[in-house]
Amino acid sequence: FLRQAALGPPPALRDPVLVIGGGNGAIDAARWVARRGGAVTVVYRRDRGEMPAYEEEVAAAGREGVKFRFRAQPLSLHPGDDGRLGRIRFAETDPVGCSPDGRRQFEVVKDSILDLPAGSAILAVGQVSEASIWADQLGLKGPLTPDGSGCLLPGLYAAGDLVTGPATVV
């Protein structure tokens, strides 16, 4: 989505737009929609404090008209009368403890259904690098570990999230 938004032609969207996710990619997509006059809501399964997106970006999105709905886990897509996307069904979530990495965990609240109207949806739910695939293809044992100049093998360099793991954009 962001690639097409940057390079064109602009993605064709119908209001309201729901962006599902809480990372920087979700916020970037929502701000792009808002800047073009679209009605957009970011829906995230945890609280605002657990969003991995940069706080200053989230605040700026709010100033630009992006709305937020927290503690909602997507369940299913539903068509409208015209056969196109009409709504997305969510379940509300509640905190239930912490995961091994220290982040609060949320679980679906039984029988808590929330339907939100949606003309378009942008899924921005997670980042995964293909470091292990590259390591396998290159016959390397373990993670990609380039030297100080970024050289992985003679003539082959690796850097950024592919080496360090997901952080902002893989």
Side-chain angles (χ1 to χ4, degrees):
F1 174 85
L2 290 172
R3 178 180 173 83
Q4 184 177 344
L7 299 177
L13 299 172
R14 293 184 332 141
D15 285 344
V17 177
L18 297 183
V19 178
I20 300 169
N24 288 314
I27 298 302
D28 288 347
R31 291 179 77 185
W32 184 91
V33 173
R35 288 173 183 168
R36 278 139 191 87
V40 59
T41 301
V42 171
V43 185
Y44 186 54
R45 64 190 173 105
R46 295 183 168 120
D47 287 320
R48 181 173 175 155
E50 279 79 35
M51 288 181 82
Y54 297 134
E55 175 55 35
E56 60 271 16
E57 294 287 327
V58 176
R63 289 190 300 273
E64 292 177 354
V66 174
K67 293 181 174 46
F68 294 89
R69 177 68 168 92
F70 297 102
R71 292 188 179 189
Q73 175 77 36
L75 297 175
S76 56
L77 305 172
H78 298 270
D81 293 337
D82 62 359
R84 298 172 71 176
L85 180 62
R87 64 186 168 90
I88 300 178
R89 176 161 287 171
F90 294 87
E92 294 180 359
T93 64
D94 273 336
V96 294
C98 289
S99 63
D101 67 0
R103 291 180 74 191
R104 284 198 318 168
Q105 289 185 304
F106 287 74
E107 71 178 18
V108 169
V109 176
K110 186 176 179 178
D111 299 323
S112 65
I113 299 301
L114 169 69
D115 284 335
L116 296 178
S120 299
I122 300 169
L123 304 180
V125 289
Q127 319 180 74
V128 179
S129 75
E130 296 180 345
S132 62
I133 295 171
W134 281 100
D136 288 345
Q137 291 292 317
L138 296 168
L140 301 174
K141 305 286 187 238
L144 299 178
T145 50
D147 66 20
S149 70
C151 186
L152 189 60
L153 295 170
L156 179 63
Y157 293 81
D161 293 352
L162 186 64
V163 173
T164 63
T168 55
V169 178
V170 174

